[in-house]
């Protein structure tokens, strides 16, 4: 046992990298922190404690906080490969676990899958879906006017006030739903609406060897799960920080009122209209920076032959990882007040500084402004204890 621990500590070639004493011997400390503590805040604390972009978390595991290394480790043509961490989030479908686009570790196969549905994620495709988003927003507003605060998507849940066919609890409903949609697509001569599901069905017709029935389900379920969670946490972060900072909220409202009086906003504000509200956009950027949706470190293996980064040599097979929360709190990039919500940093930055900030971003009325939220989770970081009271805003309202 002692020999094994010493080999872990001294035999991995990582002794030049600072870290907690026990981290070099065993991964138990890492497991404990992930299971019983706040891993993202702990990582931020460790990097600041050792004043280093590199912190050893385990015998062969290194956390990196340098945003400049994001392209090296996660770039499109990188030789760094995903570790065995990813299969733990495989989806269960038809009696077995299945890899989706996110979890697949075979880079060649991943490229083939990605290429087959790439157009479904294009900006053109997203913009074509905006009317569906607008109608859902309008439905939500009508329910809020009736003092009904519900969470749903446009599958009938909002209209009925129920969990239609248990759609919130699993993918059983989706299996039946997408099969019906495919039949409708074929019967109409491929002339139905081109939402994400329809684009997946089109991809299946074009690439039948890659996009089978299982992949259609996985693509869409990932979109529903990951899309809803990341959108929800980002909206909560935006609202939370605005409501905790009344002066900032007032500036946002003045920005909206000005644009509205100038006739620049539709009844349901469009993506293009919102993009012209510079201060509001800065608030969104800052909300994403303060609370990146992804909280778990995204592990990669150092490629064959090893690599030198930041003055350290990393042997082949070393696990390196960059956490979005680390780069988002980088004081070298965002300034000494990187722990504070300050949207103005996105407007006051020089062109070069703005480029650096964007590269590092690897990612109601408040009823109780005296309370702090609680952040939980691992892969997805969700928020609790956000107590909010909602009422329709009167014209010329001042927070």
């Amino acid at each position: 046992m002692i020999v094994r621990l010493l080999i872990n500590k001294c035999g991995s070639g990582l002794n030049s990298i600072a870290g907690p004493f026990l981290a070099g011997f065993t991964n138990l400390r890492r497991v404990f922190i992930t299971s019983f503590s706040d891993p993202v805040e702990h990582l931020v604390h460790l990097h600041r404690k050792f004043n280093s972009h590199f912190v050893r978390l385990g015998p062969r595991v290194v956390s990196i906080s340098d945003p400049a290394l994001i392209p090296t480790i996660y770039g499109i043509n990188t030789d760094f490969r995903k570790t065995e961490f990813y299969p733990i989030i495989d989806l269960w479908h038809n009696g077995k676990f299945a890899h989706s686009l996110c979890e697949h570790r075979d880079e060649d196969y991943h490229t083939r899958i990605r290429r087959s549905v790439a157009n479904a994620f294009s900006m053109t495709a997203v913009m074509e879906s905006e009317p569906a988003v607008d109608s859902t927003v309008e439905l939500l507003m009508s329910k809020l006017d009736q003092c009904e605060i519900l969470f749903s998507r446009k599958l009938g849940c909002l209209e009925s006030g129920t969990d239609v066919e248990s759609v919130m609890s699993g993918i059983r409903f989706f299996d039946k739903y997408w099969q019906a949609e495919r039949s409708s697509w074929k019967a109409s001569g491929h002339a139905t609406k081109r939402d994400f599901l329809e684009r997946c069905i089109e991809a299946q017709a074009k690439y039948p060897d890659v996009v089978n029935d299982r992949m259609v389900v996985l693509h869409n379920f990932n979109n529903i799960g990951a899309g809803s969670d990341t959108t929800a946490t980002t909206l909560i972060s935006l609202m939370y920080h605005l409501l905790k900072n009344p002066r900032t909220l007032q500036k946002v409202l003045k920005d909206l009122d000005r644009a509205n009086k100038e006739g620049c906003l539709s009844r349901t504000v469009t993506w293009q209209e919102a993009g012209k509200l510079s201060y509001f956009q800065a608030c969104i950027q800052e909300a994403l920076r303060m609370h990146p949706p992804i909280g778990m470190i995204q592990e990669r293996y150092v490629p064959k032959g090893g690599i030198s980064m930041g003055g350290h040599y990393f042997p082949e097979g070393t696990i390196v990882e960059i956490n979005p929360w680390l780069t988002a709190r980088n004081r070298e990039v965002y300034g000494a007040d990187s722990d504070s919500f300050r949207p103005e940093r996105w407007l006051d930055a020089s062109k070069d500084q703005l480029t650096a900030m964007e590269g590092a971003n690897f990612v109601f009325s408040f009823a109780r402004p005296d309370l702090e939220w609680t952040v939980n989770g691992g892969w997805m970081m969700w928020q609790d204890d956000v107590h909010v009271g909602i009422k329709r805003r009167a014209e010329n309202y001042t927070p």
Side-chain angles (χ1 to χ4, degrees), residues 91 153 167 170-171 174 216-227:
L91 297 175
R153 53 185 177 275
V167 68
I171 65 173
F174 182 76
V216 172
V217 173
L218 294 178
H219 282 320
N220 282 270
F221 192 64
N222 273 345
N223 241 22
I224 293 171

Side-chain angles (χ1 to χ4, degrees), residues 53-54 62-83 86 107 297-303 307-310 314 318-323 327 362:
H53 284 307
F54 304 91
V62 177
S63 171
I64 300 175
S65 65
D66 186 355
L69 294 176
I70 293 175
T72 301
I73 299 173
Y74 301 99
I76 295 176
N77 297 317
T78 182
D79 291 326
F80 288 73
R81 295 292 182 255
K82 294 177 180 177
T83 71
Y86 286 84
E107 292 298 323
I297 301 173
Q298 301 172 58
E299 298 180 351
R300 295 293 189 274
Y301 282 127
V302 170
I307 191 173
S308 293
M309 296 185 292
F314 296 82
T318 302
I319 295 176
V320 294
E321 40 194 38
I322 297 180
N323 190 303
T327 57
F362 192 49

Side-chain angles (χ1 to χ4, degrees), residues 9 14-25 29 42 46-47 49-52 54-58 61-63:
K9 174 67 175 177
L14 300 175
N15 281 345
S16 65
I17 299 175
F21 176 74
L22 292 178
F25 296 98
R29 184 181 186 280
H42 182 72
L46 284 180
H47 278 268
K49 174 184 177 180
F50 293 106
N51 191 29
S52 174
F54 304 91
V55 173
R56 191 177 184 182
L57 301 181
V61 182
V62 177
S63 171

Side-chain angles (χ1 to χ4, degrees), residues 177-207 216:
Y177 177 75
W178 97 261
Q179 294 288 356
E181 284 291 293
R182 182 170 64 176
S183 298
S184 174
W185 178 74
K186 290 180 177 179
S188 66
H190 310 174
T192 57
K193 61 186 182 303
R194 297 191 72 216
D195 56 18
F196 184 80
L197 175 56
E198 298 298 330
R199 290 176 184 273
C200 287
I201 295 173
E202 291 174 5
Q204 186 179 36
K206 187 175 181 180
Y207 304 99
V216 172

Side-chain angles (χ1 to χ4, degrees), residues 166-389:
S166 300
V167 68
M168 298 301 179
S169 60
I171 65 173
R172 293 186 302 276
F173 173 84
F174 182 76
D175 280 325
K176 182 169 66 176
Y177 177 75
W178 97 261
Q179 294 288 356
E181 284 291 293
R182 182 170 64 176
S183 298
S184 174
W185 178 74
K186 290 180 177 179
S188 66
H190 310 174
T192 57
K193 61 186 182 303
R194 297 191 72 216
D195 56 18
F196 184 80
L197 175 56
E198 298 298 330
R199 290 176 184 273
C200 287
I201 295 173
E202 291 174 5
Q204 186 179 36
K206 187 175 181 180
Y207 304 99
D209 59 323
V210 177
V211 187
N212 53 26
D213 287 0
R214 183 189 66 179
M215 289 309 303
V216 172
V217 173
L218 294 178
H219 282 320
N220 282 270
F221 192 64
N222 273 345
N223 241 22
I224 293 171
S228 60
D229 282 342
T230 53
T231 301
T233 56
T234 300
L235 287 173
I236 292 173
S237 178
L238 175 63
M239 294 179 183
Y240 174 84
H241 286 102
L242 286 177
L243 296 169
K244 292 284 286 187
N245 296 272
R247 292 179 61 184
T248 303
L249 174 59
Q250 188 170 6
K251 293 178 71 172
V252 170
L253 294 176
K254 286 182 178 180
D255 197 20
L256 290 170
D257 287 340
R258 173 195 55 75
N260 191 41
K261 289 179 180 179
E262 294 174 357
C264 299
L265 301 180
S266 305
R267 182 174 181 274
T268 300
V269 180
T270 67
W271 178 81
Q272 288 185 338
E273 292 168 350
K276 297 176 182 177
L277 302 171
S278 58
Y279 192 74
F280 179 60
Q281 290 297 316
C283 289
I284 295 175
Q285 288 276 65
E286 189 73 344
L288 277 167
R289 186 188 70 81
M290 291 297 295
H291 190 97
I294 303 300
M296 289 292 276
I297 301 173
Q298 301 172 58
E299 298 180 351
R300 295 293 189 274
Y301 282 127
V302 170
K304 185 177 181 179
I307 191 173
S308 293
M309 296 185 292
H312 298 281
Y313 177 74
F314 296 82
E316 173 185 339
T318 302
I319 295 176
V320 294
E321 40 194 38
I322 297 180
N323 190 303
W325 285 66
L326 276 177
T327 57
R329 302 296 179 89
N330 190 307
R331 290 173 175 169
E332 297 173 9
V333 176
Y334 296 104
D337 63 346
S338 63
D339 291 337
S340 301
F341 182 79
R342 187 173 67 84
E344 287 79 7
R345 76 176 79 248
W346 296 94
L347 302 175
D348 299 339
S350 65
K351 184 177 180 180
D352 290 342
Q353 185 180 3
L354 184 61
T355 299
M357 290 165 60
E358 291 173 342
N361 204 11
F362 192 49
V363 297
F364 318 124
S365 57
F366 209 55
R368 293 294 305 279
D370 56 308
L371 297 180
E372 299 293 330
W373 65 7
T374 301
V375 177
N376 300 290
W379 181 258
M380 289 289 182
M381 302 297 294
W382 69 87
Q383 311 99 326
D384 291 320
D385 299 325
V386 182
H387 303 279
V388 176

